[in-house]
Amino acid sequence: MRLLLIADTHVPRRARDLPARVWDEVAAADVVVHAGDWVVPELLDELEGRAARLVACWGNNDGPALRARLPERADSMLDGLHLTVVHETGAAAGREARMSGLYPDSDVLVFGHSHIPWDTTTQTGLRLLNPGSPTDRRRQPFCTYMTASVENGVLTRVDLHRLEK
């Protein structure tokens, strides 16, 4: 099972649309995961129409229209893997311990908010992934997104992809 992980798209504030390469990844993915900060519901409409499956939550920049359609926390079983998606996890310091305590039954936690790519595994085995942002790099050298694979309940591969503007 192929996953596309994105967050902090901020369309249309930071970009008019997702980059073409990300739309290509949407078409290739079995599951698209979006960790919030959509800004307007039109991108949600388009992803729902184009993704084979969408697992998503709202972020702090998402207003009532998006919050009415998306949960603050999304949980999904993907080929035996328990995936959780939230927007914000707080400060980087102590993140692993906090998230292990908050999500003891999850195998993978995908989050956003910082626009900073993150890939660590906690002492309890929880994998924490932040794909960065495909549209707003902030202080990062590149805009980014992630792809991942799930096989028999195991995350078998995670790749961070850089986008040149």
Side-chain angles (χ1 to χ4, degrees), residues 58-92:
W58 55 261
N60 62 299
N61 282 289
D62 299 328
L66 285 159
R67 291 178 188 216
R69 294 174 57 187
L70 295 166
E72 182 176 13
R73 170 187 173 169
D75 287 276
S76 188
M77 290 300 290
L78 304 176
D79 195 23
L81 179 91
H82 182 176
L83 178 89
T84 300
V85 185
V86 298
H87 182 63
E88 196 168 345
T89 60

Side-chain angles (χ1 to χ4, degrees), residues 2 4 20-30 32 47 50-52:
R2 183 174 168 82
L4 168 63
R21 195 162 131 204
V22 174
W23 282 119
D24 290 344
E25 295 282 7
V26 169
D30 297 300
V32 175
L47 270 175
R50 292 171 71 170

Side-chain angles (χ1 to χ4, degrees), residues 17-156:
D17 195 2
L18 295 180
R21 195 162 131 204
V22 174
W23 282 119
D24 290 344
E25 295 282 7
V26 169
D30 297 300
V31 181
V32 175
V33 178
H34 193 302
D37 271 4
W38 304 74
V39 179
V40 295
E42 287 78 8
L43 180 60
L44 174 58
D45 294 339
E46 192 161 358
L47 270 175
E48 284 178 332
R50 292 171 71 170
R53 180 174 174 190
L54 179 64
V55 179
C57 67
W58 55 261
N60 62 299
N61 282 289
D62 299 328
L66 285 159
R67 291 178 188 216
R69 294 174 57 187
L70 295 166
E72 182 176 13
R73 170 187 173 169
D75 287 276
S76 188
M77 290 300 290
L78 304 176
D79 195 23
L81 179 91
H82 182 176
L83 178 89
T84 300
V85 185
V86 298
H87 182 63
E88 196 168 345
T89 60
R95 179 177 285 145
E96 285 86 357
R98 281 194 320 275
M99 296 306 104
S100 288
L102 286 172
Y103 306 103
D105 298 324
S106 299
D107 299 309
V108 176
L109 177 67
V110 178
F111 65 99
H113 189 63
S114 68
H115 299 220
I116 300 170
W118 185 282
D119 183 354
T120 58
T121 302
T122 70
Q123 289 183 344
T124 64
L126 175 64
R127 184 84 175 258
L128 301 175
L129 299 172
N130 184 330
S133 171
T135 56
D136 184 14
R137 65 182 180 90
R138 286 199 182 158
R139 294 172 300 279
Q140 300 304 299
F142 300 96
C143 289
T144 57
Y145 66 93
M146 288 178 169
T147 55
S149 298
V150 177
E151 189 174 325
N152 297 319
V154 177
L155 199 64
T156 57

